[in-house]
Amino acid sequence: MKLFTSAVIAALLCCCLNSRAQQTLKGAILDKEGLAMPYATATLLKPSDSTLAYFGISNDQGQYEIKNVKPGTYLLQSAYLGYKQYYKKIEVPVENGLIPAIVMQQEDRDLKTVEIAAERVPMMIKGDTVEYNAGAFKTKPDANVEELLKKLPGVSVDRSGNIKAQGEDVKKVLVDGKEFFSNDPKIATKNLPADAIKKVQVYDKKSDQSEFTGVDDGSRDKTVNLVLKDDRKNGYFGDLIGGYGTDNKYQGSGKLYNFKPTSQFAALGMVNNINQFGFSVSDYITFKGGIGNLMSGGGLNFNSSMPINFGQPVNGLITSGAGGLNYTYEPVKNRRFNISYLGNASKNRLQQSTYSRNFTNDGTFERNRTSTETSRDNGHSFAASLRNDMDSVNQLTAGATAGFTRGNSNSKAFTESLIEKTAFNSLDNSTLNSSKGISGSANAAYVSRLGKNWPMLKLSADGDIDQSISGDEWTNLTSIFEPTPASFTITQFQKNNTNQLGYGGSALLSRRLGKGFFLDGSLTARMNDDHYTRKQGTPPEEN
């Protein structure tokens, strides 16, 4: 008891000493006139390799705070666009936690044409963009972009790969400003190597229409842009991984990338039987969902049992494979064509046995249950998009998607109940499930700026189709042994058919009334034709 008490006191004392050893540093960032500089960065770097240890950002009064700094020697760095980098060596702890005011000096050189490669600024705020220097954050040699993002201040990645930046969900991940695999964020972050990234930029992206016309439609997508290193923008790179172990377990994957100033190409493939999921076709695709901004209605009908990693527990032995191709061609800025394919297939085998025993005043009650299940799923997704800014006043955009899924499962279960070791009843169950679906969509829009007071004429059309069939059939054989032996069988089925078709068009004309004020007139027409049928009951007897 005395030993335990001493250990607790020692642990608490260590925690208190560690808490007191850490220090919060405060200071201010000013220009040479003594005026506050808001949104300037104050970072503490490790002198040995200039990697980021702690950071702070100044507020509207130019004041910043760096919390929970451990004792040691650091290089204090401050950065602000258009100003020279500030450096000062400091020792922590600092008396009263107060750092003398940092006075920034304006940069004499033209920063638009000159880049100082020798200086490593971990992060900088440029207007509405937060820019991270990837080289200032250490990652393992084989790390992917997702591991890099986890180390960036203000960025978080959950166990499923979903990204948040500045507290908001990231909807787009671009590579050198271009879409990568039909705008599915996880394809880039889980497969691109971290050592290929030069900078990570985080900003709120306006819609293509707003960027072109200058008329703000209020649409914003939190976006991460991955800027490649210069030596990765021309040429091929990738990796090949393979392994084989006991019990015939295997894993293999390959990735090949080719980035050029005018094009991007990527090929991905994997197969394994160790319960590793394939590439996500898109975590955002549901029965009535779609792929990002390439969809304007309808959606791809992917079976919810596809091996997509949502962070859920895995039951059974899964053999899965996946592959994908992506190609983007952009000869000049905003004249871009993209096409991609993603496929995913899996087989899941599950065997379970459970036994329970309950004790009562009258005796014991036992239940035995054994079950087997085999399920197969596969899905294929195609997408293409086009953006053509024909000139400064005319723009054409178009997109199309197509998808196909198929799945089936077969399960059997036997349950037996016993009282005092004597069988009381049993249930023999078998279930068959199947599903398949095909879907597609297409959209096109023409935008023209007619003049200063007529900023936008937009003509658009879209269509979508979705067809799916799912069926279930189950048979229950129930046997009763006490007090009078009896048995009966129930067989039932259910079949669902869904057919959805929609198409339409719209015209919009915008008139500028004054600064920030517009009058919009629009005409829209749309037709939706939905059919749902369900059959259920007892299957007809075969002749």
Side-chain angles (χ1 to χ4, degrees), residues 39 41 70 74 84 103 121 134 220 282 293 338 367 534:
Y39 309 112
T41 60
K70 294 181 179 180
Y74 298 96
K84 296 179 180 179
V103 179
V121 182
R220 298 288 189 277
S282 173
N293 64 345
N338 172 267
R367 175 166 291 174
R534 171 178 290 179

Side-chain angles (χ1 to χ4, degrees), residues 33-138:
E33 304 297 332
L35 300 177
M37 299 186 66
Y39 309 112
T41 60
T43 56
L44 294 181
L45 309 179
K46 297 178 181 179
S48 58
D49 53 14
S50 295
T51 56
L52 177 69
Y54 304 94
F55 83 100
I57 298 176
S58 62
N59 58 21
D60 292 338
Q61 289 74 45
Q63 299 172 348
Y64 66 89
E65 190 175 74
I66 306 177
K67 297 182 178 180
N68 302 325
V69 181
K70 294 181 179 180
T73 302
Y74 298 96
L75 190 62
L76 173 63
Q77 179 197 67
S78 183
Y80 196 87
L81 186 63
Y83 287 77
K84 296 179 180 179
Q85 310 302 325
Y86 174 92
Y87 293 96
K88 183 180 180 181
K89 188 176 181 180
I90 67 170
E91 295 285 341
V92 178
V94 175
E95 186 176 355
N96 298 323
L98 299 177
I99 297 177
I102 297 173
V103 179
M104 304 291 289
Q105 301 293 327
Q106 274 193 304
E107 177 64 64
D108 296 329
R109 283 170 289 190
D110 182 3
L111 292 183
K112 294 181 180 179
T113 58
V114 177
E115 182 175 348
I116 305 172
E119 293 183 312
R120 177 182 288 178
V121 182
M123 60 181 294
M124 180 179 288
I125 299 174
K126 297 182 177 180
D128 60 354
T129 299
V130 180
E131 184 175 277
Y132 301 89
N133 185 339
F137 303 90
K138 277 191 172 182

Side-chain angles (χ1 to χ4, degrees), residues 338-363:
N338 172 267
I339 187 170
S340 65
Y341 162 77
L342 285 167
N344 204 330
S346 73
K347 178 181 179 181
N348 187 359
R349 293 163 294 172
L350 175 64
Q351 293 183 346
Q352 291 180 307
S353 297
T354 60
Y355 169 77
S356 64
R357 188 177 187 183
N358 298 283
F359 296 91
T360 67
N361 293 332
D362 298 326

Side-chain angles (χ1 to χ4, degrees), residues 118 141 163 237 248 299 310 367 382 407 413 448 460 480 521:
I163 310 166
F237 65 96
N248 294 320
F310 295 102
R367 175 166 291 174
F382 302 86
S448 179
S460 62
I480 300 175

